[in-house]
């Protein structure tokens, strides 16, 4: 039965490493475990009475939960590798009786010591292959720490870009540009900059899919609230007399369609038009719930 425990432990470790890879370093994919946790907490927040407050915490709490689950799974996986070989393949410091310290709890303790790189040395492997595996667990622990930092440093700039774009759209909608003002060189420049910003958001949603589950509480910084205004602006500009404005409007419309495809395929699954996708996006982020 020893080999069954070893295989189960190795499978858990490889599962977590695969999930970390797809979550952080594979921009066109989405880690299965992280997606399950993030989606589950997001949907749970929708059922809470204080939707605005609960949704605001869903993203940060889900990130913490994912990292904790990654770490716990790796610790358990390595413990399953150590446990069948205790106590005969380990050496114990004076005062510890091997027969009394060979339970699964002790294997978890060894795993925690190694993954945290503490290296206490009171229980250490003596078998050759275990002496190689123990430092490898320390390396995995370092990878998880690095992954957590990289994930945080990647998601929050993406959120800042999304909220900055929403704030700009809020400024535009509050100034109420007329058809004559849009049908100018300045109008074409504005449409071009909006198309470029929407393209950046599309990449952010692909690269950092988990950023979707962060709620933008302030109305002026909520992309879900203002994204439909861009569609209206593009439609108005499509009928302009200025050829540059019509071209810019077409580019903006294409950028919006790409963003709608990404949101729908990864999160909403409406299979509708871009307008329907953006309405579902707004509803999913609480814009139609009175939150």
């Amino acid at each position: 039965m020893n080999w069954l425990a070893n295989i189960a432990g190795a499978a858990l470790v490889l599962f977590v490493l695969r999930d970390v890879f797809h979550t952080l370093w594979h921009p066109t994919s989405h880690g299965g475990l992280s997606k399950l946790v993030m989606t589950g907490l997001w949907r749970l927040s929708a059922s809470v009475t204080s939707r605005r407050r609960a949704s605001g915490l869903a993203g940060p709490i889900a990130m913490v939960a994912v990292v904790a689950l990654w770490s716990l799974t790796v610790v358990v996986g390595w413990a399953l590798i150590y446990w069948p070989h205790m106590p005969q393949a380990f050496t114990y410091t004076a005062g510890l009786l091997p027969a009394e310290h060979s339970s699964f709890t002790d294997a978890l303790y060894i795993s925690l010591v190694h993954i945290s790189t503490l290296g206490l040395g009171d229980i250490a492997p003596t078998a050759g292959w275990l002496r190689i595996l123990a430092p490898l667990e320390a390396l995995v622990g370092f990878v998880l720490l690095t992954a957590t930092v990289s994930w945080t440093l990647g998601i929050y700039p993406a959120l800042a870009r999304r909220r900055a774009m929403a704030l700009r759209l809020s400024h535009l909608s509050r100034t109420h540009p007329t058809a004559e003002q849009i049908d100018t060189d300045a109008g074409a420049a504005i449409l071009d900059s909006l198309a470029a910003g929407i393209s950046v958001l599309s990449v952010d949603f692909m690269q950092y899919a988990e950023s979707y589950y962060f709620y933008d509480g302030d109305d002026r910084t909520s992309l879900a609230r203002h994204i439909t205004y861009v569609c209206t602006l593009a439609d108005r500009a499509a009928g302009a007399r200025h050829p540059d404005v019509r071209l810019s409007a077409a580019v903006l419309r294409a950028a919006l369609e790409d963003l709608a495809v990404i949101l729908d395929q990864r999160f909403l699954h409406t299979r509708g038009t871009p307008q329907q996708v953006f309405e579902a996006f707004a509803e999913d982020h609480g814009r139609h719930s009175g939150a």
Side-chain angles (χ1 to χ4, degrees):
M1 296 297 291
N2 290 355
W3 63 274
L4 287 176
N6 290 162
I7 291 175
L12 288 176
V13 173
L14 292 174
F15 172 74
V16 168
L17 293 179
R18 178 186 179 277
D19 196 75
V20 171
F21 173 77
H22 282 296
T23 300
L24 273 68
W25 299 303
H26 191 191
T28 60
S29 188
H30 193 168
L33 184 61
S34 60
K35 181 179 181 180
L36 181 65
V37 173
M38 300 288 270
T39 304
L41 286 176
W42 179 256
R43 290 176 179 172
L44 179 63
S45 70
S47 63
V48 178
T49 302
S50 181
R51 172 66 191 272
R52 180 185 293 271
R53 184 174 181 180
S55 298
L57 294 174
I61 290 176
M63 284 187 67
V64 173
V66 169
V67 172
L69 197 54
W70 281 343
S71 302
L72 178 61
T73 305
V74 167
V75 168
V76 172
W78 237 280
L80 287 172
I81 295 175
Y82 297 141
W83 184 34
H85 308 283
M86 296 179 67
Q88 65 272 14
F90 290 81
T91 182
Y92 294 76
T93 189
L96 292 180
L97 297 177
E100 296 179 359
H101 294 278
S102 58
S103 66
F104 185 69
T105 302
D106 296 294
L108 285 174
Y109 163 75
I110 297 171
S111 183
L112 282 168
V113 167
H114 287 147
I115 200 171
S116 60
T117 68
L118 290 177
L120 299 179
D122 52 348
I123 304 177
T126 56
W129 67 279
L130 284 176
R131 294 179 67 186
I132 295 175
L133 279 181
L136 285 178
E137 183 179 8
L139 288 176
V140 170
F142 182 74
V143 167
L144 288 177
L145 176 61
T146 304
T148 301
V149 175
S150 300
W151 201 18
T152 303
L153 293 179
I155 281 184
Y156 281 93
L159 291 173
R161 289 189 290 270
R162 187 172 87 194
R163 290 162 182 168
M165 171 59 75
L167 188 59
R168 187 175 186 196
L169 296 178
S170 173
H171 294 160
L172 277 173
S173 65
R174 283 152 53 197
T175 55
H176 304 292
T178 63
E180 291 76 14
Q181 290 173 322
I182 295 174
D183 197 2
T184 60
D185 290 338
I190 290 175
L191 295 175
D192 286 339
S193 65
L194 290 179
I198 294 296
S199 298
V200 170
L201 296 184
S202 297
V203 174
D204 284 339
F205 278 120
M206 287 192 296
Q207 181 75 52
Y208 306 105
E210 295 77 17
S211 65
Y212 176 88
Y213 305 107
F214 282 72
Y215 180 73
D216 303 315
D218 191 290
D219 287 348
R220 293 183 179 180
T221 59
S222 172
L223 182 67
R225 178 181 179 86
H226 297 291
I227 191 64
T228 53
Y229 173 74
V230 191
C231 299
T232 302
L233 196 62
D235 290 339
R236 289 169 57 191
R241 293 190 299 258
H242 199 304
D244 289 346
V245 174
R246 293 198 301 272
L247 176 60
S248 299
V251 173
L252 178 57
R253 172 58 66 180
L256 288 168
E257 290 173 355
D258 287 345
L259 177 60
V261 168
I262 293 169
L263 289 174
D264 201 42
Q265 288 181 348
R266 286 180 166 246
F267 312 107
L268 299 169
H269 312 294
T270 67
R271 297 184 179 181
T273 64
Q275 185 70 27
Q276 291 171 329
V277 172
F278 292 140
E279 289 175 357
F281 178 40
E283 184 176 359
D284 198 32
H285 278 250
R287 303 283 32 133
H288 296 167
S289 64

